[in-house]
Amino acid sequence: QGISLNTPLTFGQANQIIGLLIVIFCMFFKIIPGLGTILNMFFLGAFIDILNQTKLFITPKYFIIKLLILLLGVVFISLGTCLYMRESLGAGPGDGLMVVFSKKMKVKAGYVRIFIELFALILGYILGGKVGIGTLVFALILGFTLNKVFYIFQYDPREKHHENIAETINKIKNITNSV
């Protein structure tokens, strides 16, 4: 949000630009983007803008309902992250960064995710973005929830190879050639 407040970019576009910069950074660690990386980066930014423009979701009046929705959101994001990453078509930019640092530091990916989220929160705040209790709770518990979901689904993103875009294209070519 902080970037969109200081540039002509929308929140979604800023998310896409940051995603692209993260992808480039990850390439220095031999993490080549996959189809999932590109789709995640594009659609996440697009959906952020669509949801912000349409005001599709209404903020509940009561704190307990807000908290419940926040916690459910964290669970659904963790489930979605695990399910799409298990398919190995390329981790999204933030998830790729999580994998890079969890491999380098030899710690569970969720713990790295906490630091990534807190770094983004602090940077966004410095740039003028809003930081509320929900933002802080999200940053602090997403990583723990991810670790739990990864454990339940017996998935360790440090151990799985993610297809890069060239590998996916070659698979598609092989499939079409065999038909």
Side-chain angles (χ1 to χ4, degrees), residues 17-110:
I17 297 294
I18 293 299
L20 179 61
L21 293 174
I22 291 171
V23 167
I24 292 167
F25 175 79
C26 288
M27 290 173 73
F28 287 107
F29 294 94
K30 297 184 173 80
I31 303 288
I32 307 302
L35 180 62
T37 311
I38 306 304
L39 293 175
N40 178 295
M41 185 172 49
F42 174 77
F43 283 113
L44 187 60
F47 286 132
I48 287 170
D49 284 343
I50 289 168
L51 292 174
N52 280 339
Q53 291 169 1
T54 60
K55 310 274 189 238
L56 186 61
F57 296 105
I58 302 166
T59 303
K61 181 178 178 182
Y62 301 104
F63 176 78
I64 192 72
I65 296 172
K66 291 179 184 181
L67 183 61
L68 179 63
I69 291 171
L70 171 66
L71 296 175
L72 284 172
V74 170
V75 170
F76 286 134
I77 288 169
S78 298
L79 283 168
T81 299
C82 181
L83 294 175
Y84 98 84
M85 285 183 71
R86 284 180 54 171
E87 298 308 313
S88 300
L89 291 173
D95 299 322
L97 191 62
M98 174 181 71
V99 171
V100 165
F101 284 122
S102 67
K103 284 181 178 180
K104 292 287 179 194
M105 298 167 60
K106 296 180 177 34
V107 297
K108 290 183 179 180

